[in-house]
Amino acid sequence: MPYYRVVGEIPRKRHVQFRRPDGGLYAEELMGEEGFSSDSSLLYHRHAPTAITKSESVEDASSDGADLAPNHPLQPRAYRTQDLPESGDLVLGRQALFGNGDVRVSFVAAGGGPSELYRNSVGAEVVYVQTGRARVETTYGVLDAGVGDYVVIPTGAIHRWVPDGPVKALVIEARGHIRPPKRYLSQFGQFLEHAPYSERDLRGPVEPLLVDGGEVPVLVRTRGGLSRLTYLRHPFDVVGWDGYLYPYVLNIDDFEPIVKRTHAPPPVHQTFEGPGFVICSFCPRPLDFHEEAVPIPYNHHNVDSDEMMFYVDGDYSARKGSGIGIGSISLHPSGFTHGPQPGAVEAAIEAAQQGRDTSTEKAVMIDTFRPLRLGAAARRCEDPEYAWTWARATG
Ligand SMILES: [Fe+2]
């Protein structure tokens, strides 16, 4: 996390005696990344965060990626998440779409029930809420999430999802940490003036969340698989914490698009980075405004990347006639040059000439630097005709 935050009660100095009202000591815990060499927070628990009474393995076919198949024969692909069934809660109801050694992307159509307590020790997660509302309870406090929110959960943060009705979400699980792009930050971590969002756009926990109880199960994901550890006391027992590492929320509508006179490439839309991938936000914005601009992407072959685009709102003019709608996902892999659907360039130039000079498109894009393999849920909702739409319309 890029900046310092303090919530609840903490002692005046690090690592000094900090006592409960009954005279006993609070248990201090450091949550830190990269072996004491990067961001961390210090949390103060009422009870020992180490006391567990049971460990069980949990069946999870997706843990080792064995459920993923290569994109072979190579094809651009499109999927309709609109057609995926309701699938349980926001943790165990994840339907695998894509994955590789760096990241796994899945879709959840949650029915409304709360998830179990959950800790992902493989890496950070970003959950993009497409529809619905949820309360995200964490050891750091509560986050309220709604439509368009990116909920960023750092590696190892214990949390649970409590939806307020049905929720649809895209879940991005990294093998490592997800952070704002380094180039947006000063050497000390402050968002620079050219960054498309800043500290004021981020929502973090504001007060401690204290829950009583004992023998509390917590799902823990590691590279070895999924386990369920039972804690002697409820992990939501933190009276205060401070530091730079905590869960937070950024709404896609708080991302301020950067525009040029002629077409700007996707790095201007970059929102987060993780090891081996980036996350970008395409938001409504003025079209490219050079008098002779082609206000739509050019054909491109980003030779090192697979590109996944999740269409969440508005009118995506570059994909007109391809069957892509709200809730669709396109996958444009390395090895294939992609670009606007036939006729889209002319339509965009005409629209700009007629004064319709603002795009309404809203999309979440993930570019990976290793090929994405295809999950069972992707195979279930694929539009088999998408790959041929450019040729057919040109025909
Ligand atoms: Fe692209």
Side-chain angles (χ1 to χ4, degrees):
M1 222 0 248
Y3 71 107
Y4 177 77
R5 192 173 185 94
V6 55
V7 165
E9 250 191 296
I10 56 170
R12 197 184 68 78
K13 288 183 75 68
R14 300 175 184 185
H15 322 316
V16 296
Q17 295 170 28
F18 181 36
R19 292 189 179 278
R20 304 188 301 243
D22 68 3
L25 286 167
Y26 285 113
E28 187 180 46
E29 178 194 21
L30 178 102
M31 289 286 289
E33 295 177 345
E34 297 175 20
F36 298 92
S37 302
S38 186
D39 293 349
S40 65
S41 285
L42 284 167
L43 297 87
Y44 295 88
H45 294 267
R46 284 174 169 168
H47 310 290
T50 46
I52 54 172
T53 59
K54 207 188 323 181
S55 170
E56 308 155 271
S57 81
V58 178
E59 196 68 34
D60 179 35
S62 65
S63 283
D64 58 2
D67 57 332
L68 301 172
N71 183 355
H72 185 79
L74 181 75
Q75 230 172 271
R77 298 173 188 273
Y79 305 93
R80 289 176 51 83
T81 65
Q82 311 83 305
D83 295 344
L84 289 174
E86 195 175 292
S87 54
D89 67 61
L90 275 142
V91 171
L92 290 180
R94 297 174 181 184
Q95 306 182 64
L97 292 169
F98 316 108
N100 62 21
D102 300 318
V103 63
R104 187 164 64 154
V105 181
S106 49
F107 188 79
V108 187
S115 75
E116 293 186 49
L117 288 168
Y118 172 57
R119 156 180 274 175
N120 186 340
S121 292
V122 177
E125 297 188 352
V126 167
V127 178
Y128 177 83
V129 179
Q130 184 197 3
T131 60
R133 294 200 60 79
R135 179 180 148 93
V136 190
E137 297 177 348
T138 82
T139 41
Y140 299 80
V142 171
L143 300 168
D144 287 313
V147 174
D149 279 337
Y150 291 105
V151 180
V152 184
I153 309 279
T155 310
I158 297 177
H159 64 286
R160 73 168 188 151
W161 285 84
V162 186
D164 180 13
V167 172
K168 288 188 173 184
L170 190 78
V171 180
I172 302 155
E173 297 166 51
R175 279 199 169 212
H177 308 306
I178 298 177
R179 296 168 173 149
K182 220 172 223 158
R183 69 178 188 279
Y184 292 169
L185 304 173
S186 77
Q187 62 175 313
F188 301 110
Q190 183 179 9
F191 281 92
L192 296 168
E193 281 293 316
H194 73 271
Y197 61 97
S198 77
E199 289 83 354
R200 296 186 199 180
D201 299 312
L202 306 181
R203 290 143 44 205
V206 292
E207 57 184 15
L209 172 64
L210 295 165
V211 179
D212 289 325
E215 296 297 320
V216 179
V218 178
L219 286 170
V220 181
R221 183 179 295 288
T222 65
R223 295 186 187 210
L226 199 57
S227 305
R228 186 178 283 112
L229 300 186
T230 300
Y231 280 78
L232 181 64
R233 308 299 293 262
H234 203 297
F236 294 167
D237 69 341
V238 172
V239 296
W241 60 267
D242 76 332
Y244 284 64
L245 185 66
Y246 50 90
Y248 64 96
V249 178
L250 168 70
N251 192 278
I252 195 167
D253 289 337
D254 283 323
F255 184 95
E256 300 302 330
I258 294 165
V259 293
K260 288 172 58 188
R261 288 210 308 160
T262 55
H263 201 69
V268 300
H269 307 293
Q270 193 183 344
T271 312
F272 301 108
E273 65 188 13
F277 71 97
V278 298
I279 303 173
C280 299
S281 305
F282 287 75
C283 295
R285 60 193 185 278
L287 291 175
D288 318 324
F289 50 92
H290 185 284
E291 55 193 11
E292 291 183 82
V294 176
I296 204 164
Y298 34 83
N299 300 310
H300 50 287
H301 191 166
N302 198 4
V303 298
D304 297 314
S305 300
D306 275 17
E307 173 200 291
M308 190 226 89
M309 184 86 91
F310 178 42
Y311 304 85
V312 296
D313 201 9
D315 176 20
Y316 216 84
S317 48
R319 295 271 87 83
K320 213 163 253 169
S322 66
I324 295 281
I326 303 303
S328 296
I329 288 177
S330 60
L331 175 64
H332 296 141
S334 170
F336 168 73
T337 296
H338 66 275
Q341 305 302 135
V345 170
E346 293 79 1
I349 292 172
E350 195 183 321
Q353 284 166 349
Q354 290 173 354
R356 285 179 280 130
D357 53 3
T358 306
S359 85
T360 61
E361 69 191 30
K362 201 182 287 180
V364 174
M365 186 177 85
I366 303 166
D367 271 16
T368 63
F369 301 115
R370 287 202 271 178
L372 282 170
R373 294 160 68 85
L374 313 177
R379 292 192 287 276
R380 197 172 305 133
C381 67
E382 182 166 6
D383 170 1
E385 297 305 311
Y386 178 70
W388 329 120
T389 52
W390 290 270
R392 285 200 181 135
T394 307

